[in-house]
Amino acid sequence: MKFDFIYVSIIIIILNIHLSAQNKNYAELIKVIGGHSSRVRSLAVLPNGNLASGSDDSSIIIWNSEDGSLIRKLRGHSSPVYSMVVFPSGHLASGSWDNTIKIWNPNDGSLLKTLTGHTSFIFALAILSDGYLASGSSDQTIKIWNPWDTHEGSLIQTLTGHAGYVNS
């Protein structure tokens, strides 16, 4: 199957990867879904099996991964959504080029809180073993957050000393 470049950037291709002992490894195209108006930058699988996609169009779409249908569109960022991570609770964190991290309830689409503190694009997010959230930015820092501490969340620590962007 051949895709024009512009269409590859705004669709999600779901593959079933087959690995066999007979070295007949192959991928089978299961589904192609589209709904963003620009490039998809990040994907995250939710605990219920749904798929979240973050895009240059500043939105997050929650997809039914079984049939490819659009469940809801999350809007709140003003720039591309570059990274996402799912908490054990099922909440979704998104990092954007608007320098913010947003925490969402993907089940109803509600925006729970916005974490601010970075001075440039957020490229990476990770959940730490203690439940804290780590964020990497083009401001050359890693910030450690307790997103549940207060209504706004709290910044625990800023790690400095990187010579360039922090991304993954």
Side-chain angles (χ1 to χ4, degrees):
M1 180 177 285
K2 181 180 176 188
F3 295 104
D4 185 295
F5 175 74
I6 192 157
Y7 294 111
V8 172
S9 68
I10 60 174
I11 61 173
I12 298 167
I13 299 170
I14 298 175
L15 300 173
N16 185 6
I17 307 296
H18 299 276
L19 302 175
S20 71
Q22 296 84 19
N23 290 328
K24 295 181 182 175
N25 301 332
Y26 66 96
E28 173 187 11
L29 178 64
I30 301 298
K31 192 163 304 305
V32 177
I33 54 179
H36 286 289
S37 62
S38 192
R39 179 181 340 203
V40 172
R41 294 282 187 173
S42 57
L43 297 172
V45 177
L46 302 172
N48 63 5
N50 289 338
L51 183 67
S53 59
S55 171
D56 279 358
D57 66 12
S58 305
S59 74
I60 297 165
I61 295 180
I62 307 298
W63 304 93
N64 180 314
S65 61
E66 293 295 318
D67 65 15
S69 63
L70 188 151
I71 296 171
R72 71 184 41 86
K73 191 174 259 193
L74 310 180
R75 291 191 171 99
H77 284 294
S78 59
S79 292
V81 177
Y82 205 85
S83 58
M84 295 186 300
V85 68
V86 179
F87 288 93
S89 65
H91 292 101
L92 177 69
S94 58
S96 172
W97 287 9
D98 64 9
N99 309 346
T100 69
I101 300 163
K102 296 194 180 291
I103 311 292
W104 308 86
N105 179 339
N107 296 319
D108 65 12
S110 60
L111 175 61
L112 303 176
K113 57 186 69 186
T114 300
L115 306 177
T116 60
H118 280 291
T119 59
S120 193
F121 305 154
I122 296 168
F123 284 124
L125 295 173
I127 305 293
L128 304 178
S129 62
D130 57 9
Y132 287 176
L133 176 68
S135 57
S137 171
S138 60
D139 66 10
Q140 301 179 354
T141 68
I142 296 172
K143 293 188 181 293
I144 309 297
W145 309 85
N146 181 344
W148 314 114
D149 189 29
T150 66
H151 180 68
E152 298 85 26
S154 60
L155 178 62
I156 303 298
Q157 185 175 15
T158 300
L159 308 174
T160 60
H162 297 90
Y165 295 175
V166 180
N167 57 16
S168 61

